[in-house]
Amino acid sequence: MADKDGLKVAKDYKVDIPFANNEGFYVKGANNLDWGMQKHLSNIFNPKSGNSVMFAFDHGYFMGSTAGLERLDLLLPKLASYVDVFMGTRGAIRTCVPPQITKGIALRVSSGSSMLNDDLSHEVVAVDIEDAIRMNADCMAVQTFIGADGQLSSIDNLSKVINAGMRYSIPTLGVVAVGKDMARTDRFFKLATRIVAEMGVQLVKTYNCDNFEEIVAACPVPIVVAGGKKLPEPEALNLAYTVISKGARGVDMGRNIFQSEHPVEMAQAVAKIVHEGFTDKEAYEFYLDAIH
């Protein structure tokens, strides 16, 4: 085992050099995957832009009814035309997403905690691979708690899902959780995203931070950035623009869409940045025009 003492701090990320093993397929790190995996990834990442707008509405799996998500059955069909992927639980997807909506599905498969717990890091794999197949999931999302009390069990959960996904050609999305005792620093995210990627996931969801381009360079699979807490619309669009400019292949906007006063127009504005190269200012002008 490597000795932790005397380790050199990594610093040579060569952020100006594109990922090397990317000639056969456009999704980072997926060049050597089979057809089924690549097909699912094509449902997640737009083949023209190479990017993705995810819409996360899985908050209820530990938060219960959340402001803005009270009526999923009314909200989700309105947003379907403007996002690439719905990220939710099987209960919410089965009951509130009409099957004729042809969007990618990121299926939340880990669970076991709630807002009533002080420590959210202890989860289990709650959805078996057969049900993920029945739901035609394009990826299975697993929460990982690097540095938390539940680190070992969450990595075990992740490994089990990756192994099952590899048997049936379904990608795994490793979701990097940040607990109350974890600093949102580039050092932490370099550690967490790399660990999750090296376990074998096909994509990672994480947060923005300083030196984000280095996190992207060091991670051999695509990174999708979480929107996090609700921000004013200009700030949320600036977040999307910043991370896409620094190499993220998508954003997973939940609260910054469903808690906006105009969620449909906000989803459209985010898509302008992610797929059409709009700046944050151009996207905000689009948003203002759309709501008026």
Side-chain angles (χ1 to χ4, degrees):
M1 182 176 178
D3 190 343
K4 291 191 293 185
D5 294 331
L7 288 177
K8 291 184 177 180
V9 176
K11 59 182 179 181
D12 191 9
Y13 292 94
K14 296 182 172 61
V15 297
D16 57 332
I17 300 178
F19 185 71
N21 187 25
N22 220 32
E23 295 181 359
F25 187 63
Y26 70 98
V27 177
K28 185 179 183 181
N31 202 37
N32 300 323
L33 298 178
D34 62 34
W35 188 92
M37 280 276 195
Q38 292 184 354
K39 177 59 177 172
H40 283 303
L41 290 169
S42 296
N43 293 339
I44 296 170
F45 297 101
N46 182 291
K48 292 183 179 179
S49 68
N51 295 337
S52 181
V53 177
M54 288 190 178
F55 176 66
F57 57 95
D58 58 338
H59 304 66
Y61 98 93
F62 72 102
M63 295 176 67
S65 181
T66 307
L69 296 180
E70 295 91 346
R71 290 295 302 271
L72 291 173
D73 58 314
L74 302 179
L75 175 67
L76 299 179
K78 293 179 182 178
L79 296 176
S81 296
Y82 310 110
V83 301
D84 302 297
V85 180
F86 280 137
M87 181 178 178
T89 62
R90 60 180 171 180
I93 292 170
R94 276 198 168 107
T95 57
C96 299
V97 178
Q100 62 267 32
I101 292 178
T102 56
K103 293 295 176 177
I105 294 295
L107 178 64
R108 165 70 67 177
V109 300
S110 61
S111 183
S113 58
S114 78
M115 292 300 291
L116 299 178
N117 302 122
D118 291 330
D119 185 355
L120 301 177
S121 70
H122 296 280
E123 294 194 340
V124 298
V125 177
V127 181
D128 62 35
I129 188 66
E130 287 81 7
D131 210 21
I133 293 169
R134 280 191 290 269
M135 295 196 67
N136 200 27
D138 290 300
C139 68
M140 298 176 289
V142 181
Q143 200 86 351
T144 58
F145 298 87
I146 304 303
D149 187 60
Q151 173 179 295
L152 177 59
S153 60
S154 73
I155 290 179
D156 184 48
N157 294 338
L158 185 68
S159 300
K160 290 175 179 176
V161 172
I162 291 168
N163 291 337
M166 293 302 291
R167 286 198 297 274
Y168 297 100
S169 293
I170 302 177
T172 299
L173 167 61
V175 181
V176 174
V178 181
K180 60 184 179 180
D181 297 325
M182 301 173 196
R184 297 192 179 203
T185 63
D186 58 338
R187 183 177 181 181
F188 172 75
F189 288 122
K190 285 170 184 173
L191 174 71
T193 57
R194 184 62 173 262
I195 288 174
V196 170
E198 296 223 10
M199 294 305 300
V201 302
Q202 286 71 44
L203 60 162
V204 172
K205 176 180 170 182
T206 189
Y207 292 88
N208 185 35
C209 64
D210 293 337
N211 303 311
F212 181 74
E213 66 276 8
E214 294 182 355
I215 282 81
V216 170
C219 185
V221 297
I223 288 179
V224 175
V225 174
K229 67 181 181 180
K230 175 67 174 73
L231 300 170
E233 280 74 8
E235 293 181 27
L237 294 171
N238 178 257
L239 169 64
Y241 175 69
T242 298
V243 297
I244 292 295
S245 300
K246 292 185 176 182
R249 302 312 306 191
V251 293
D252 189 3
M253 291 287 188
R255 283 170 283 187
N256 282 300
I257 289 178
F258 68 73
Q259 290 183 346
S260 171
E261 291 186 12
H262 305 280
V264 171
E265 291 80 1
M266 188 60 179
Q268 290 176 279
V270 171
K272 292 292 184 181
I273 292 172
V274 173
H275 293 310
E276 298 183 35
F278 276 37
T279 66
D280 51 332
K281 293 181 180 180
E282 291 170 336
Y284 186 56
E285 290 175 1
F286 171 89
Y287 170 79
L288 293 176
D289 289 342
I291 66 175
H292 292 119

